[in-house]
Amino acid sequence: MLRTLPRALRPLGPRWTPARAWASGDAAQGAEIQVRALRGDQDAGITEILMNRPHTRNALGKVFVSQLSDALDELRFDRSVRVLVFKSGVKGVFCAGADLKEREQMSEPEVAAFVHKLRSLMNQIATFPAPTIAAMDGFALGGGLELALACDLRVAASSAIMGLIETTRGLLPGAGGTQRLPRCVGVGLAKELIFTGRRISGEEAKVIGLVNHAVPQNQEGTAAYHRSLELAREIVPQAPIAVRMGKVAIDRGMEVDISSGMAIEGMCYAQNIPTRDRLEGMAAFREKRPPRFVGE
C-alpha cells in the first residue's frame, strides 16, 4: 500500500527547485543550491544537487553553505532518494573552496563559527543515508575537495584539477580534509599532498585512489556528470535498505578494530533480515526473474 508522505518529505518535481523552503516560491534560478529528482525508468531514485554560484566559482560562502545544509536536512528523510549526485552548474569548476573574500570580512569568532558550520556540513554529507556521488567536472580545491571527500564515490574528468591547497594560503584543511584524505589514499601520501598543497589532475587522482573513475572530458564539460549518472543507475536497482545498511557497516566499521566491525556488520545484517526486499530477492532468485525492490 502506498502511503502519503508529509509535504516536506514528498519527492521533488522534475524542475530544479530551491534548496530552502521548497514551498517558498522563490525562483530556482536565483538559488545557489538547487535540487532535482530525476524521472524515467532508468533515473527514478536519482536526486541531483546542483551547485550554482558562478560569480565565485561555487565558493563556500554563508548562503551557499546554509542552503546546502537545508537541502540535505530535507532530503535525508526522503526514502525515494536512492542515490544523491552532487554536480556543478558552473562550467570548468566543481567547487573552488572557501570564499576568502567573504572570510576576510569576518572577525576571528565569526571565522571559528563558520568553519564549525562548514565541518558540520561535510558530516551531513558523509552521514547521508543513501549513497552520494561527487561529479567533478572541473576544479575541486580546498573545501571543494573536502566536499567531494565527504561523498561515498567520486568521479572526475581526467583534466579536472584538485587539491587541498590550504597551506599555500596560510591555512590547513579545516572541514575534514586531514581526516578523510588519509583514510582515502593513505597517511604518507595524504601528508605529502597537504604539506605541499599540490594540485593533481583527475587522471592522477584515479591512480592514487582519490577518485573511483576518471573520464576524458567532453566539449560540454559534463563527462564526469554523465559517468556519475551511469554509476548511479547501477546502484538504483539494488535493494535500497541493504545498500544503506551496507554503507553504515562500512563507514562505522572502518573506525574500529575488525572484531568490532564484524559486530557492526552483524547488527546491520540483522536489521535487513525482516525486510520485504530480502524476501523479494530470494523469490526472484528462485523464480529466475529480476527482483522488484521497494525499499521496505
Side-chain angles (χ1 to χ4, degrees), residues 186-203:
V187 172
L189 189 50
K191 286 181 176 179
E192 180 178 336
L193 292 173
I194 290 172
F195 294 170
T196 62
R198 184 183 304 151
R199 302 178 185 210
I200 63 174
S201 69
E203 197 62 48

Side-chain angles (χ1 to χ4, degrees), residues 4-18:
T4 302
L5 292 170
R7 181 178 181 85
L9 304 186
R10 288 176 191 161
L12 304 178
R15 295 188 177 185
W16 288 108
T17 310

Side-chain angles (χ1 to χ4, degrees), residues 62 103 105-117:
K62 290 180 179 178
R103 187 83 59 89
Q105 306 304 315
M106 298 180 188
S107 65
E108 288 187 11
E110 287 173 332
V111 169
F114 180 74
V115 171
H116 176 77
K117 186 167 186 177

